[in-house]
Amino acid sequence: MRISALVERTGVPLATVKYYLREGLLPPGISTGATQADYTEDHVHRLQVIKALTSAAGLPLQKVKIVLSLIDAPGSDLFSALGQAVASLPPYRDEPATEHPRARALLERIGQLYDPAYPATAQLEHALEAAEEAGIGMSDERLEVYARQIRGIAEYDLQRMGSSELSPVEYAVLGTALYEPVLLAMRRLAHQDIAAKRLGGSAG
Amino acid sequence: MRISALVERTGVPLATVKYYLREGLLPPGISTGATQADYTEDHVHRLQVIKALTSAAGLPLQKVKIVLSLIDAPGSDLFSALGQAVASLPPYRDEPATEHPRARALLERIGQLYDPAYPATAQLEHALEAAEEAGIGMSDERLEVYARQIRGIAEYDLQRMGSSELSPVEYAVLGTALYEPVLLAMRRLAHQDIAAKRLGGSAG
């Protein structure tokens, strides 16, 4: 297809497509003349991935490049490639690694393996600390309820990785970034539903 | 306590405390002289709530004011007050209300009451649409697994509302905004744990 069809199919503006081509994020099309090239479904897919990473997931271009290079060459250690790719997602923090006492206590209690240098460990620590500072520190019981329910989701996610049309790295990155807002909206709506039924509100 | 103790207890800078006093977000202390006033634990608590809403939850001051007014005067319809307070949390979207076909289909299928005008409904619709556009649209099966697990969390949240030291509006707003990052970090760490066990990675 022509470059104009790529634009139409993906909604990515022409100038942006050309920029991605110059930067090497999008591989060149097959040249069909001095100023024309032919693009394939692979180009459409790659643009959808870039668009999701930049718009929906909010990655800066530097991080998008890291993720794309892991998608193109995950190497022989898939576990490490998946971790590096997901570690490229926001939120980003500049602070040096700390001891993560709250995260460690929880993860050890529920028997989860974890890498202290993995960004999600610091993310959990900061989230638990922020809740504490706000006066709503999480009890062990609450953390265990949350962890159990979330684990059910994570188990399902991993089970389905093999049957996805996406590569494992694509699946991990996009499934992490794009399903997170779904989970949060679902929780807010479940609260509304339960509160309506208990408090006699008028939702729906 | 003196205003300097408020600053020390909460970590909120003096200029910011004074600004909140001028803006009426923080009630005045009891005057103990021409230039001195006495502050209480209620002031500490109020500052912690404001700090959590602005820093951790990312609310603009205009929205903080709405939340504080609902905390101070929830009125007789608690369901409505809770909904308005949580609706003041990000993410914010300017788009006009749409039909929410994806959100509606899911919520009707799982039998949840919902208010189409509640921001979380649009939030769910946009999240489902973004996943679709990225080529990882969510199957009915996946949505049902997620919804079931998330409901377990939401049920627990509502159960514990009555036993919180916070007022219901505080509990709803802070428990929504501050526990959300915990959930997301937990999912990423559960993925790492499950992948390490399945793929033989070296987390932990």
mmCIF file of all heavy atoms in Angstrom, chain A residues 29-73:
data_model
loop_
_atom_site.group_PDB
_atom_site.id
_atom_site.type_symbol
_atom_site.label_atom_id
_atom_site.label_comp_id
_atom_site.label_asym_id
_atom_site.label_seq_id
_atom_site.Cartn_x
_atom_site.Cartn_y
_atom_site.Cartn_z
ATOM 1 N N GLY A 29 9.665 1.080 3.372
ATOM 2 C CA GLY A 29 8.860 0.262 2.464
ATOM 3 C C GLY A 29 9.725 -0.197 1.300
ATOM 4 O O GLY A 29 10.899 0.171 1.194
ATOM 5 N N ILE A 30 9.112 -1.028 0.447
ATOM 6 C CA ILE A 30 9.846 -1.497 -0.739
ATOM 7 C C ILE A 30 9.703 -0.428 -1.818
ATOM 8 O O ILE A 30 8.601 -0.062 -2.210
ATOM 9 C CB ILE A 30 9.262 -2.835 -1.248
ATOM 10 C CG1 ILE A 30 9.506 -3.921 -0.184
ATOM 11 C CG2 ILE A 30 9.892 -3.243 -2.579
ATOM 12 C CD1 ILE A 30 8.536 -5.080 -0.309
ATOM 13 N N SER A 31 10.843 0.074 -2.252
ATOM 14 C CA SER A 31 10.846 1.183 -3.197
ATOM 15 C C SER A 31 10.202 0.771 -4.518
ATOM 16 O O SER A 31 10.530 -0.270 -5.079
ATOM 17 C CB SER A 31 12.292 1.636 -3.426
ATOM 18 O OG SER A 31 12.300 2.712 -4.319
ATOM 19 N N THR A 32 9.252 1.592 -4.979
ATOM 20 C CA THR A 32 8.580 1.291 -6.254
ATOM 21 C C THR A 32 8.773 2.432 -7.239
ATOM 22 O O THR A 32 8.082 2.526 -8.230
ATOM 23 C CB THR A 32 7.073 1.076 -6.045
ATOM 24 O OG1 THR A 32 6.550 2.234 -5.392
ATOM 25 C CG2 THR A 32 6.804 -0.159 -5.220
ATOM 26 N N GLY A 33 9.703 3.301 -6.951
ATOM 27 C CA GLY A 33 9.969 4.432 -7.835
ATOM 28 C C GLY A 33 10.808 5.430 -7.083
ATOM 29 O O GLY A 33 11.143 5.220 -5.904
ATOM 30 N N ALA A 34 11.152 6.495 -7.733
ATOM 31 C CA ALA A 34 12.066 7.474 -7.134
ATOM 32 C C ALA A 34 11.485 8.044 -5.843
ATOM 33 O O ALA A 34 12.201 8.289 -4.876
ATOM 34 C CB ALA A 34 12.364 8.596 -8.111
ATOM 35 N N THR A 35 10.174 8.269 -5.791
ATOM 36 C CA THR A 35 9.574 8.910 -4.616
ATOM 37 C C THR A 35 8.451 8.082 -4.017
ATOM 38 O O THR A 35 7.677 8.582 -3.207
ATOM 39 C CB THR A 35 8.997 10.292 -4.989
ATOM 40 O OG1 THR A 35 8.003 10.067 -5.998
ATOM 41 C CG2 THR A 35 10.077 11.224 -5.514
ATOM 42 N N GLN A 36 8.362 6.800 -4.443
ATOM 43 C CA GLN A 36 7.273 5.990 -3.912
ATOM 44 C C GLN A 36 7.777 4.688 -3.317
ATOM 45 O O GLN A 36 8.794 4.143 -3.750
ATOM 46 C CB GLN A 36 6.270 5.661 -5.022
ATOM 47 C CG GLN A 36 5.317 6.816 -5.283
ATOM 48 C CD GLN A 36 4.151 6.406 -6.147
ATOM 49 O OE1 GLN A 36 3.963 5.221 -6.442
ATOM 50 N NE2 GLN A 36 3.359 7.373 -6.535
ATOM 51 N N ALA A 37 7.037 4.212 -2.326
ATOM 52 C CA ALA A 37 7.394 2.926 -1.722
ATOM 53 C C ALA A 37 6.109 2.204 -1.370
ATOM 54 O O ALA A 37 5.040 2.811 -1.225
ATOM 55 C CB ALA A 37 8.240 3.138 -0.475
ATOM 56 N N ASP A 38 6.242 0.896 -1.242
ATOM 57 C CA ASP A 38 5.098 0.057 -0.955
ATOM 58 C C ASP A 38 5.199 -0.442 0.496
ATOM 59 O O ASP A 38 6.248 -0.924 0.912
ATOM 60 C CB ASP A 38 5.111 -1.141 -1.926
ATOM 61 C CG ASP A 38 3.761 -1.850 -1.933
ATOM 62 O OD1 ASP A 38 2.723 -1.154 -1.929
ATOM 63 O OD2 ASP A 38 3.765 -3.095 -1.904
ATOM 64 N N TYR A 39 4.084 -0.312 1.228
ATOM 65 C CA TYR A 39 4.073 -0.717 2.636
ATOM 66 C C TYR A 39 3.135 -1.905 2.819
ATOM 67 O O TYR A 39 2.197 -2.105 2.032
ATOM 68 C CB TYR A 39 3.667 0.466 3.507
ATOM 69 C CG TYR A 39 4.656 1.596 3.402
ATOM 70 C CD1 TYR A 39 4.500 2.607 2.449
ATOM 71 C CD2 TYR A 39 5.784 1.630 4.219
ATOM 72 C CE1 TYR A 39 5.435 3.617 2.321
ATOM 73 C CE2 TYR A 39 6.727 2.640 4.088
ATOM 74 C CZ TYR A 39 6.547 3.634 3.141
ATOM 75 O OH TYR A 39 7.484 4.626 3.009
ATOM 76 N N THR A 40 3.383 -2.657 3.880
ATOM 77 C CA THR A 40 2.646 -3.909 4.101
ATOM 78 C C THR A 40 1.848 -3.860 5.414
ATOM 79 O O THR A 40 1.903 -2.881 6.164
ATOM 80 C CB THR A 40 3.640 -5.084 4.217
ATOM 81 O OG1 THR A 40 4.421 -4.872 5.414
ATOM 82 C CG2 THR A 40 4.571 -5.133 3.010
ATOM 83 N N GLU A 41 1.162 -4.961 5.689
ATOM 84 C CA GLU A 41 0.429 -5.084 6.956
ATOM 85 C C GLU A 41 1.383 -4.997 8.156
ATOM 86 O O GLU A 41 0.984 -4.571 9.236
ATOM 87 C CB GLU A 41 -0.339 -6.412 7.003
ATOM 88 C CG GLU A 41 -1.566 -6.462 6.097
ATOM 89 C CD GLU A 41 -2.586 -5.368 6.405
ATOM 90 O OE1 GLU A 41 -2.856 -5.090 7.594
ATOM 91 O OE2 GLU A 41 -3.102 -4.765 5.443
ATOM 92 N N ASP A 42 2.625 -5.435 7.949
ATOM 93 C CA ASP A 42 3.604 -5.334 9.036
ATOM 94 C C ASP A 42 3.854 -3.874 9.420
ATOM 95 O O ASP A 42 4.077 -3.560 10.590
ATOM 96 C CB ASP A 42 4.944 -5.969 8.630
ATOM 97 C CG ASP A 42 4.864 -7.496 8.608
ATOM 98 O OD1 ASP A 42 3.869 -8.034 9.137
ATOM 99 O OD2 ASP A 42 5.782 -8.125 8.058
ATOM 100 N N HIS A 43 3.824 -3.000 8.402
ATOM 101 C CA HIS A 43 3.993 -1.579 8.701
ATOM 102 C C HIS A 43 2.795 -1.028 9.481
ATOM 103 O O HIS A 43 2.955 -0.223 10.394
ATOM 104 C CB HIS A 43 4.187 -0.784 7.405
ATOM 105 C CG HIS A 43 5.511 -1.020 6.748
ATOM 106 N ND1 HIS A 43 5.684 -1.988 5.779
ATOM 107 C CD2 HIS A 43 6.721 -0.427 6.922
ATOM 108 C CE1 HIS A 43 6.958 -1.975 5.387
ATOM 109 N NE2 HIS A 43 7.610 -1.033 6.064
ATOM 110 N N VAL A 44 1.611 -1.473 9.089
ATOM 111 C CA VAL A 44 0.399 -1.045 9.817
ATOM 112 C C VAL A 44 0.512 -1.478 11.275
ATOM 113 O O VAL A 44 0.301 -0.687 12.200
ATOM 114 C CB VAL A 44 -0.880 -1.665 9.182
ATOM 115 C CG1 VAL A 44 -2.104 -1.366 10.044
ATOM 116 C CG2 VAL A 44 -1.073 -1.151 7.763
ATOM 117 N N HIS A 45 0.903 -2.731 11.468
ATOM 118 C CA HIS A 45 1.016 -3.268 12.828
ATOM 119 C C HIS A 45 2.064 -2.505 13.631
ATOM 120 O O HIS A 45 1.819 -2.124 14.790
ATOM 121 C CB HIS A 45 1.353 -4.762 12.762
ATOM 122 C CG HIS A 45 1.569 -5.374 14.106
ATOM 123 N ND1 HIS A 45 0.547 -5.547 15.016
ATOM 124 C CD2 HIS A 45 2.688 -5.822 14.731
ATOM 125 C CE1 HIS A 45 1.033 -6.079 16.118
ATOM 126 N NE2 HIS A 45 2.334 -6.253 15.978
ATOM 127 N N ARG A 46 3.208 -2.274 13.025
ATOM 128 C CA ARG A 46 4.278 -1.573 13.743
ATOM 129 C C ARG A 46 3.821 -0.157 14.150
ATOM 130 O O ARG A 46 4.068 0.300 15.260
ATOM 131 C CB ARG A 46 5.530 -1.517 12.859
ATOM 132 C CG ARG A 46 6.679 -0.612 13.339
ATOM 133 C CD ARG A 46 7.220 -0.979 14.703
ATOM 134 N NE ARG A 46 7.701 -2.330 14.840
ATOM 135 C CZ ARG A 46 8.972 -2.689 15.050
ATOM 136 N NH1 ARG A 46 9.891 -1.758 15.158
ATOM 137 N NH2 ARG A 46 9.313 -3.939 15.182
ATOM 138 N N LEU A 47 3.103 0.503 13.235
ATOM 139 C CA LEU A 47 2.598 1.851 13.562
ATOM 140 C C LEU A 47 1.574 1.800 14.694
ATOM 141 O O LEU A 47 1.543 2.695 15.553
ATOM 142 C CB LEU A 47 1.978 2.508 12.322
ATOM 143 C CG LEU A 47 2.946 3.268 11.426
ATOM 144 C CD1 LEU A 47 2.209 3.754 10.174
ATOM 145 C CD2 LEU A 47 3.563 4.476 12.160
ATOM 146 N N GLN A 48 0.742 0.759 14.700
ATOM 147 C CA GLN A 48 -0.239 0.626 15.799
ATOM 148 C C GLN A 48 0.478 0.453 17.133
ATOM 149 O O GLN A 48 0.061 1.001 18.147
ATOM 150 C CB GLN A 48 -1.157 -0.583 15.550
ATOM 151 C CG GLN A 48 -2.224 -0.318 14.496
ATOM 152 C CD GLN A 48 -2.971 -1.593 14.097
ATOM 153 O OE1 GLN A 48 -2.455 -2.703 14.255
ATOM 154 N NE2 GLN A 48 -4.168 -1.423 13.554
ATOM 155 N N VAL A 49 1.556 -0.330 17.102
ATOM 156 C CA VAL A 49 2.310 -0.548 18.336
ATOM 157 C C VAL A 49 2.954 0.762 18.797
ATOM 158 O O VAL A 49 2.874 1.129 19.982
ATOM 159 C CB VAL A 49 3.389 -1.657 18.136
ATOM 160 C CG1 VAL A 49 4.335 -1.722 19.329
ATOM 161 C CG2 VAL A 49 2.724 -3.009 17.903
ATOM 162 N N ILE A 50 3.576 1.473 17.877
ATOM 163 C CA ILE A 50 4.224 2.753 18.239
ATOM 164 C C ILE A 50 3.179 3.735 18.774
ATOM 165 O O ILE A 50 3.388 4.408 19.783
ATOM 166 C CB ILE A 50 4.970 3.367 17.030
ATOM 167 C CG1 ILE A 50 6.091 2.442 16.557
ATOM 168 C CG2 ILE A 50 5.525 4.748 17.384
ATOM 169 C CD1 ILE A 50 6.759 2.889 15.259
ATOM 170 N N LYS A 51 2.041 3.772 18.099
ATOM 171 C CA LYS A 51 0.974 4.690 18.523
ATOM 172 C C LYS A 51 0.483 4.355 19.934
ATOM 173 O O LYS A 51 0.284 5.241 20.774
ATOM 174 C CB LYS A 51 -0.193 4.601 17.533
ATOM 175 C CG LYS A 51 -1.279 5.634 17.739
ATOM 176 C CD LYS A 51 -2.408 5.416 16.742
ATOM 177 C CE LYS A 51 -3.526 6.420 16.938
ATOM 178 N NZ LYS A 51 -4.681 6.105 16.039
ATOM 179 N N ALA A 52 0.307 3.068 20.191
ATOM 180 C CA ALA A 52 -0.156 2.653 21.524
ATOM 181 C C ALA A 52 0.872 3.023 22.582
ATOM 182 O O ALA A 52 0.529 3.510 23.663
ATOM 183 C CB ALA A 52 -0.410 1.144 21.538
ATOM 184 N N LEU A 53 2.145 2.807 22.270
ATOM 185 C CA LEU A 53 3.193 3.093 23.253
ATOM 186 C C LEU A 53 3.306 4.591 23.526
ATOM 187 O O LEU A 53 3.467 5.005 24.673
ATOM 188 C CB LEU A 53 4.544 2.545 22.770
ATOM 189 C CG LEU A 53 4.666 1.016 22.712
ATOM 190 C CD1 LEU A 53 5.980 0.604 22.068
ATOM 191 C CD2 LEU A 53 4.540 0.397 24.099
ATOM 192 N N THR A 54 3.198 5.397 22.475
ATOM 193 C CA THR A 54 3.358 6.848 22.681
ATOM 194 C C THR A 54 2.080 7.484 23.228
ATOM 195 O O THR A 54 2.127 8.165 24.245
ATOM 196 C CB THR A 54 3.759 7.548 21.362
ATOM 197 O OG1 THR A 54 2.819 7.190 20.361
ATOM 198 C CG2 THR A 54 5.153 7.143 20.915
ATOM 199 N N SER A 55 0.948 7.233 22.577
ATOM 200 C CA SER A 55 -0.283 7.926 23.011
ATOM 201 C C SER A 55 -0.898 7.281 24.234
ATOM 202 O O SER A 55 -1.082 7.933 25.268
ATOM 203 C CB SER A 55 -1.353 7.920 21.925
ATOM 204 O OG SER A 55 -0.802 8.129 20.678
ATOM 205 N N ALA A 56 -1.226 5.995 24.115
ATOM 206 C CA ALA A 56 -1.980 5.368 25.201
ATOM 207 C C ALA A 56 -1.094 5.137 26.417
ATOM 208 O O ALA A 56 -1.490 5.418 27.543
ATOM 209 C CB ALA A 56 -2.608 4.060 24.718
ATOM 210 N N ALA A 57 0.133 4.633 26.205
ATOM 211 C CA ALA A 57 0.982 4.293 27.348
ATOM 212 C C ALA A 57 1.870 5.455 27.782
ATOM 213 O O ALA A 57 2.433 5.424 28.873
ATOM 214 C CB ALA A 57 1.834 3.065 27.020
ATOM 215 N N GLY A 58 2.015 6.470 26.929
ATOM 216 C CA GLY A 58 2.751 7.667 27.330
ATOM 217 C C GLY A 58 4.266 7.519 27.355
ATOM 218 O O GLY A 58 4.947 8.214 28.113
ATOM 219 N N LEU A 59 4.825 6.636 26.523
ATOM 220 C CA LEU A 59 6.280 6.482 26.488
ATOM 221 C C LEU A 59 6.940 7.582 25.663
ATOM 222 O O LEU A 59 6.462 7.916 24.579
ATOM 223 C CB LEU A 59 6.676 5.140 25.855
ATOM 224 C CG LEU A 59 6.868 3.958 26.784
ATOM 225 C CD1 LEU A 59 5.543 3.573 27.384
ATOM 226 C CD2 LEU A 59 7.499 2.778 26.060
ATOM 227 N N PRO A 60 8.068 8.106 26.153
ATOM 228 C CA PRO A 60 8.875 8.984 25.308
ATOM 229 C C PRO A 60 9.539 8.146 24.206
ATOM 230 O O PRO A 60 9.698 6.928 24.369
ATOM 231 C CB PRO A 60 9.918 9.554 26.274
ATOM 232 C CG PRO A 60 9.998 8.574 27.396
ATOM 233 C CD PRO A 60 8.652 7.910 27.484
ATOM 234 N N LEU A 61 9.914 8.796 23.115
ATOM 235 C CA LEU A 61 10.441 8.082 21.949
ATOM 236 C C LEU A 61 11.663 7.231 22.280
ATOM 237 O O LEU A 61 11.854 6.149 21.710
ATOM 238 C CB LEU A 61 10.770 9.081 20.837
ATOM 239 C CG LEU A 61 10.312 8.661 19.450
ATOM 240 C CD1 LEU A 61 8.855 8.298 19.404
ATOM 241 C CD2 LEU A 61 10.614 9.748 18.440
ATOM 242 N N GLN A 62 12.469 7.709 23.214
ATOM 243 C CA GLN A 62 13.659 6.958 23.613
ATOM 244 C C GLN A 62 13.289 5.577 24.173
ATOM 245 O O GLN A 62 13.951 4.592 23.898
ATOM 246 C CB GLN A 62 14.407 7.797 24.678
ATOM 247 C CG GLN A 62 15.857 7.423 24.834
ATOM 248 C CD GLN A 62 16.577 7.428 23.486
ATOM 249 O OE1 GLN A 62 16.350 8.307 22.651
ATOM 250 N NE2 GLN A 62 17.405 6.431 23.250
ATOM 251 N N LYS A 63 12.227 5.546 24.946
ATOM 252 C CA LYS A 63 11.761 4.276 25.525
ATOM 253 C C LYS A 63 11.077 3.411 24.459
ATOM 254 O O LYS A 63 11.161 2.184 24.495
ATOM 255 C CB LYS A 63 10.783 4.536 26.678
ATOM 256 C CG LYS A 63 11.384 5.315 27.839
ATOM 257 C CD LYS A 63 12.269 4.471 28.716
ATOM 258 C CE LYS A 63 12.700 5.232 29.958
ATOM 259 N NZ LYS A 63 13.654 4.460 30.768
ATOM 260 N N VAL A 64 10.373 4.074 23.531
ATOM 261 C CA VAL A 64 9.734 3.324 22.443
ATOM 262 C C VAL A 64 10.807 2.563 21.664
ATOM 263 O O VAL A 64 10.630 1.392 21.309
ATOM 264 C CB VAL A 64 8.958 4.276 21.497
ATOM 265 C CG1 VAL A 64 8.441 3.524 20.278
ATOM 266 C CG2 VAL A 64 7.798 4.934 22.239
ATOM 267 N N LYS A 65 11.940 3.219 21.431
ATOM 268 C CA LYS A 65 13.028 2.554 20.687
ATOM 269 C C LYS A 65 13.535 1.314 21.423
ATOM 270 O O LYS A 65 13.808 0.294 20.804
ATOM 271 C CB LYS A 65 14.197 3.534 20.488
ATOM 272 C CG LYS A 65 13.916 4.562 19.417
ATOM 273 C CD LYS A 65 15.127 5.481 19.198
ATOM 274 C CE LYS A 65 14.780 6.545 18.159
ATOM 275 N NZ LYS A 65 15.874 7.513 17.987
ATOM 276 N N ILE A 66 13.653 1.418 22.741
ATOM 277 C CA ILE A 66 14.107 0.259 23.526
ATOM 278 C C ILE A 66 13.113 -0.897 23.368
ATOM 279 O O ILE A 66 13.491 -2.035 23.116
ATOM 280 C CB ILE A 66 14.245 0.645 25.021
ATOM 281 C CG1 ILE A 66 15.367 1.672 25.201
ATOM 282 C CG2 ILE A 66 14.493 -0.596 25.884
ATOM 283 C CD1 ILE A 66 15.440 2.267 26.609
ATOM 284 N N VAL A 67 11.820 -0.559 23.514
ATOM 285 C CA VAL A 67 10.796 -1.607 23.414
ATOM 286 C C VAL A 67 10.810 -2.238 22.024
ATOM 287 O O VAL A 67 10.774 -3.476 21.883
ATOM 288 C CB VAL A 67 9.398 -1.036 23.749
ATOM 289 C CG1 VAL A 67 8.309 -2.056 23.455
ATOM 290 C CG2 VAL A 67 9.334 -0.588 25.209
ATOM 291 N N LEU A 68 10.903 -1.416 20.983
ATOM 292 C CA LEU A 68 10.891 -1.962 19.616
ATOM 293 C C LEU A 68 12.104 -2.856 19.379
ATOM 294 O O LEU A 68 12.002 -3.891 18.719
ATOM 295 C CB LEU A 68 10.854 -0.827 18.584
ATOM 296 C CG LEU A 68 9.581 0.029 18.567
ATOM 297 C CD1 LEU A 68 9.706 1.145 17.538
ATOM 298 C CD2 LEU A 68 8.343 -0.816 18.275
ATOM 299 N N SER A 69 13.252 -2.471 19.925
ATOM 300 C CA SER A 69 14.448 -3.304 19.703
ATOM 301 C C SER A 69 14.294 -4.646 20.422
ATOM 302 O O SER A 69 14.760 -5.670 19.924
ATOM 303 C CB SER A 69 15.717 -2.570 20.142
ATOM 304 O OG SER A 69 15.727 -2.444 21.547
ATOM 305 N N LEU A 70 13.597 -4.649 21.559
ATOM 306 C CA LEU A 70 13.337 -5.918 22.265
ATOM 307 C C LEU A 70 12.300 -6.760 21.526
ATOM 308 O O LEU A 70 12.372 -7.992 21.520
ATOM 309 C CB LEU A 70 12.878 -5.647 23.701
ATOM 310 C CG LEU A 70 13.978 -5.123 24.635
ATOM 311 C CD1 LEU A 70 13.373 -4.440 25.853
ATOM 312 C CD2 LEU A 70 14.898 -6.260 25.076
ATOM 313 N N ILE A 71 11.333 -6.089 20.891
ATOM 314 C CA ILE A 71 10.350 -6.824 20.085
ATOM 315 C C ILE A 71 11.068 -7.482 18.897
ATOM 316 O O ILE A 71 10.840 -8.649 18.584
ATOM 317 C CB ILE A 71 9.226 -5.865 19.576
ATOM 318 C CG1 ILE A 71 8.337 -5.423 20.743
ATOM 319 C CG2 ILE A 71 8.410 -6.516 18.467
ATOM 320 C CD1 ILE A 71 7.330 -4.329 20.392
ATOM 321 N N ASP A 72 11.964 -6.730 18.262
ATOM 322 C CA ASP A 72 12.638 -7.244 17.061
ATOM 323 C C ASP A 72 13.694 -8.291 17.387
ATOM 324 O O ASP A 72 13.949 -9.187 16.592
ATOM 325 C CB ASP A 72 13.271 -6.078 16.289
ATOM 326 C CG ASP A 72 12.206 -5.156 15.694
ATOM 327 O OD1 ASP A 72 11.069 -5.626 15.502
ATOM 328 O OD2 ASP A 72 12.504 -3.973 15.437
ATOM 329 N N ALA A 73 14.323 -8.168 18.565
ATOM 330 C CA ALA A 73 15.394 -9.108 18.916
ATOM 331 C C ALA A 73 15.329 -9.418 20.411
ATOM 332 O O ALA A 73 16.104 -8.894 21.206
ATOM 333 C CB ALA A 73 16.755 -8.508 18.545
#
